[in-house]
């Protein structure tokens, strides 16, 4: 049975405040609805308030709070989701006024990540981010918890609620410390694997982009064509954050120009900083890439803004200066598009139909093998290992067995050409 069929959808109301500061407020609300759907929630209504600044205590105005409460009753809403990060006091006050569970955008994304996390590393990263989100929100709950403690005649100045708050804080801090230790061990293993890949001198290519742009689809099509094992494909689904785990696959076309292809977690507008921090060891794979393939959903009318979010995240990861190809995926959904179409370092294609995959492969190899040179060598027969090395690590253009040795013309790495320069002719 499919995961969606097993899920019970929770009825929710979305609430947003348009202060005029956000350039694409309408898009932000549309995206919030998509996020709610990805967390198996059914949107029963959307309420928007336009005001110059948000209400410090309730986020929305007091009159709007009553409107939300009444509307929630009418449509049997079970939760209210706000399109921004709420302060602890705002959550507490809204919870009291609306008498319904309150979620903000950050909490919603954390819920989605918790649902999608499959590997041990992803689960640890999500738990870390969730606890880091919770920790400051314990502050401000003191008054509410203290009411749980004893009678007014208690001799203690510290109520049971306040004591419980301190215990909760210590437990969370301790758990975060444990999680970070486990994640550090996993990161060390990842570093070891990364070093091994580096020693092989096989280039690394990172797929990055906005969530649901089609990164996993591109990886799967290339794996199916050149990966050698269909079981190595990754989950692909038309849904926000369908995959969280970083996957690495070797793409080998058989011309001695293989490369490692890395599929990374998707980015999104207002991606919680805690998540970026928790997933840093995973995301830093991008830093070590020889080439970045920035995948853009060209069919989305907000694709320019989404591309800017990805570029900003790459700057945060200190990966903005790595050579880049921009792939405008899903171009088949747009009218008057002759596919595939290449413009310098950009490619318009469709991973779903396979149109443009060969062109993408050529662009990747052009970039990552740009420092390969065309050289001819005459290798003595008693140095057969050198000839074998070139056969395995270069593109052989010509070869001929001559009287005084093996003549071979290859496209090889510049370092190899320098290393075996004495055999060059």
């Amino acid at each position: 049975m499919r995961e969606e069929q097993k899920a019970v959808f929770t009825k929710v109301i979305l609430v947003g405040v348009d202060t005029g500061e956000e350039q694409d407020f309408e898009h932000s609300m549309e995206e919030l609805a998509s996020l709610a759907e990805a967390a198996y929630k059914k949107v029963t209504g959307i309420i928007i308030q336009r005001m110059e600044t948000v209400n410090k205590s309730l986020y929305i105005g007091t009159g709007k709070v009553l409107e939300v409460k009444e509307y929630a009753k009418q449509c049997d809403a079970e939760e209210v989701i706000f399109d921004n990060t709420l302060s602890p006091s705002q959550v507490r006050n809204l919870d009291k006024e609306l008498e319904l569970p309150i979620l903000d955008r950050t909490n919603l994304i954390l819920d989605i990540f918790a649902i999608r996390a499959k590997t041990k590393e992803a689960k640890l990263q999500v738990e870390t981010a969730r606890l880091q989100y919770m920790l400051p929100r314990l502050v401000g709950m003191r008054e509410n918890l203290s009411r749980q403690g004893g009678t007014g005649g208690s001799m203690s100045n510290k109520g049971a609620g306040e004591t419980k708050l301190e215990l909760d804080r210590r437990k969370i801090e301790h758990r975060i410390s444990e999680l970070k230790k486990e994640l550090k061990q996993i990161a060390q293993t990842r570093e070891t694997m990364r070093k091994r890949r580096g020693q092989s001198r096989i280039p690394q290519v990172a797929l990055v982009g906005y969530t649901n742009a089609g990164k996993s689809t591109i990886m799967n099509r290339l794996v199916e064509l050149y990966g050698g094992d269909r079981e190595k494909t990754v989950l692909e689904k038309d849904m926000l954050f369908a995959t969280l785990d970083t996957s690495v696959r070797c793409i080998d076309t058989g011309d001695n120009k293989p490369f490692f292809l890395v599929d990374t977690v998707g980015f999104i507008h207002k991606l919680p900083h805690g998540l970026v921090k928790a997933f840093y060891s995973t995301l830093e794979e991008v830093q070590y890439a020889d080439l970045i393939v920035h995948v853009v959903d060209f069919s989305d009318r907000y694709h320019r803004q989404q591309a800017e979010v990805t570029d900003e995240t790459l700057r945060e990861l200190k990966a903005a200066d790595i050579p880049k190809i921009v792939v405008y995926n899903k171009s088949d959904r747009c009218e008057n598009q002759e596919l595939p179409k290449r413009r310098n370092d950009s490619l318009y294609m469709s991973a779903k139909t396979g149109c443009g995959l060969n062109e993408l492969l050529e662009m990747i190899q052009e970039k990552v093998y740009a420092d390969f040179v065309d050289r001819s060598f005459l290798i003595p027969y008693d140095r057969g290992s050198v000839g074998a090395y070139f056969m395995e690590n270069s593109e052989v253009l010509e070869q001929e067995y001559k009287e005084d040795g093996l003549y071979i013309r290859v496209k090889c790495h510049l370092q190899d050409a320098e290393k075996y320069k004495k055999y060059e002719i």
Side-chain angles (χ1 to χ4, degrees):
M1 186 179 290
R2 290 168 57 194
E3 192 176 352
E4 297 96 316
Q5 292 174 325
K6 293 188 287 184
V8 177
F9 283 76
T10 305
K11 292 181 179 178
V12 300
I13 290 176
L14 309 183
V15 179
V17 173
D18 183 5
T19 61
E21 293 181 3
E22 194 167 345
Q23 187 178 356
D24 301 302
F25 175 77
E26 182 184 340
H27 175 228
S28 186
M29 292 302 296
E30 288 176 7
E31 196 168 74
L32 187 67
S34 297
L35 286 168
E37 183 183 346
Y40 305 122
K41 300 180 189 295
K42 182 180 179 181
V43 178
T44 58
I46 299 175
I47 294 178
I48 293 171
Q49 182 170 25
R50 289 176 173 81
M51 51 200 303
E52 290 186 5
T53 56
V54 298
N55 187 308
K56 288 185 178 180
S57 61
L58 291 164
Y59 191 70
I60 53 177
T62 51
K64 191 62 72 172
V65 170
L66 295 174
E67 183 184 330
V68 172
K69 187 174 183 178
E70 184 60 34
Y71 191 70
K73 286 180 182 177
Q74 291 175 12
C75 56
D76 298 320
E78 301 164 82
E79 293 175 351
V80 182
I81 304 175
F82 289 79
D83 183 44
N84 229 319
T85 301
L86 300 174
S87 69
S89 61
Q90 286 171 339
V91 173
R92 187 176 68 253
N93 294 335
L94 286 166
D95 182 71
K96 189 189 299 181
E97 294 290 333
L98 298 176
E99 299 176 331
L100 283 172
I102 306 300
L103 279 77
D104 60 16
R105 188 184 181 97
T106 299
N107 213 341
L108 179 61
I109 293 175
L110 286 169
D111 281 352
I112 296 169
F113 271 54
I115 293 168
R116 300 283 183 271
K118 302 300 179 189
T119 64
K120 180 182 179 182
E121 182 178 24
K123 289 176 181 178
L124 292 174
Q125 289 169 324
V126 171
E127 187 182 351
T128 302
R130 188 183 286 281
L131 291 175
Q132 288 174 331
Y133 171 81
M134 285 174 56
L135 192 59
R137 280 155 181 78
L138 292 175
V139 180
M141 295 173 63
R142 189 173 311 232
E143 180 184 338
N144 183 45
L145 290 172
S146 293
R147 286 200 294 269
Q148 301 170 15
T151 63
S154 172
M155 293 178 68
S156 173
N157 289 326
K158 182 177 282 192
E162 188 173 346
T163 305
K164 184 178 184 302
L165 177 63
E166 296 300 327
L167 285 171
D168 286 345
R169 183 185 285 110
R170 284 200 292 273
K171 283 180 183 177
I172 289 174
E173 288 174 342
H174 179 67
R175 179 58 181 158
I176 289 173
S177 178
E178 288 181 331
L179 289 166
K180 285 183 175 179
K181 285 179 184 176
E182 287 190 70
L183 285 169
K184 188 175 181 180
Q185 291 176 344
I186 294 173
Q188 287 172 346
T189 303
R190 185 186 294 280
E191 175 66 20
T192 301
M193 294 172 66
R194 188 187 295 128
K195 283 180 178 177
R196 285 177 186 168
R197 292 200 301 269
Q199 288 169 357
S200 71
R201 284 229 314 253
I202 297 176
Q204 181 162 303
V205 179
L207 291 166
V208 304
Y210 213 74
T211 180
N212 205 31
K215 299 183 298 299
S216 297
T217 305
I218 288 175
M219 170 172 266
N220 285 345
R221 296 299 87 81
L222 289 175
V223 167
E224 287 165 0
L225 288 170
Y226 305 110
D229 188 350
R230 284 178 174 267
E231 292 183 2
K232 290 184 178 180
T233 56
V234 297
L235 175 68
E236 59 177 91
K237 192 179 282 189
D238 188 14
M239 181 181 284
L240 301 185
F241 297 116
T243 54
L244 297 184
D245 305 307
T246 294
S247 305
V248 183
R249 301 289 185 267
C250 185
I251 306 300
D252 190 352
T253 61
D255 58 358
N256 284 335
K257 288 185 178 180
F259 57 89
F260 288 114
L261 189 62
V262 183
D263 183 21
T264 61
V265 63
F267 306 139
I268 197 168
H269 180 49
K270 300 178 185 174
L271 184 66
H273 181 69
L275 271 178
V276 175
K277 198 172 179 181
F279 275 75
Y280 189 81
S281 64
T282 305
L283 290 169
E284 71 175 350
E285 287 284 353
V286 177
Q287 295 178 358
Y288 296 92
D290 299 286
L291 176 68
I292 287 174
V293 176
H294 179 178
V295 184
V296 178
D297 178 357
F298 192 56
S299 67
D300 193 304
R301 68 181 188 273
Y302 295 104
H303 68 269
R304 287 188 179 85
Q305 292 90 326
Q306 293 173 356
E308 288 173 7
V309 169
T310 298
D311 287 337
E312 177 58 37
T313 309
L314 288 174
R315 283 192 286 272
E316 280 185 48
L317 295 170
K318 298 178 181 176
D321 295 330
I322 296 172
K324 183 171 68 174
I325 290 172
V326 180
V327 170
Y328 292 101
N329 191 33
K330 306 185 188 180
S331 294
D332 55 315
R333 299 182 184 180
C334 307
E335 295 181 5
N336 303 319
Q337 284 293 327
E338 293 182 12
L339 302 178
K341 182 169 64 178
R342 178 176 177 177
R343 289 181 178 172
N344 299 321
D345 291 333
S346 298
L347 177 68
Y348 296 80
M349 63 168 286
S350 169
K352 188 174 182 180
T353 65
C355 180
L357 281 176
N358 290 332
E359 287 74 11
L360 174 59
L361 193 65
E362 287 175 11
M363 290 175 73
I364 290 172
Q365 290 183 326
E366 280 176 18
K367 288 285 186 181
V368 297
Y369 285 96
D371 56 354
F372 270 48
V373 292
D374 189 328
R375 293 287 189 273
S376 296
F377 300 92
L378 185 62
I379 303 166
Y381 289 118
D382 62 353
R383 297 305 308 272
S385 60
V386 177
Y389 178 84
F390 278 118
M391 293 287 192
E392 292 177 9
N393 297 280
S394 64
E395 182 182 359
V396 179
L397 303 175
E398 295 177 43
Q399 73 175 76
E400 183 182 345
Y401 291 94
K402 296 196 172 187
E403 187 176 332
D404 49 351
L406 170 66
Y407 164 77
I408 188 168
R409 179 172 160 246
V410 296
K411 274 192 176 180
C412 64
H413 198 285
L414 182 60
Q415 289 182 6
D416 289 338
E418 293 299 318
K419 183 177 179 181
Y420 297 108
K421 193 173 180 64
K422 63 182 179 180
Y423 303 119
E424 189 177 338
I425 57 174

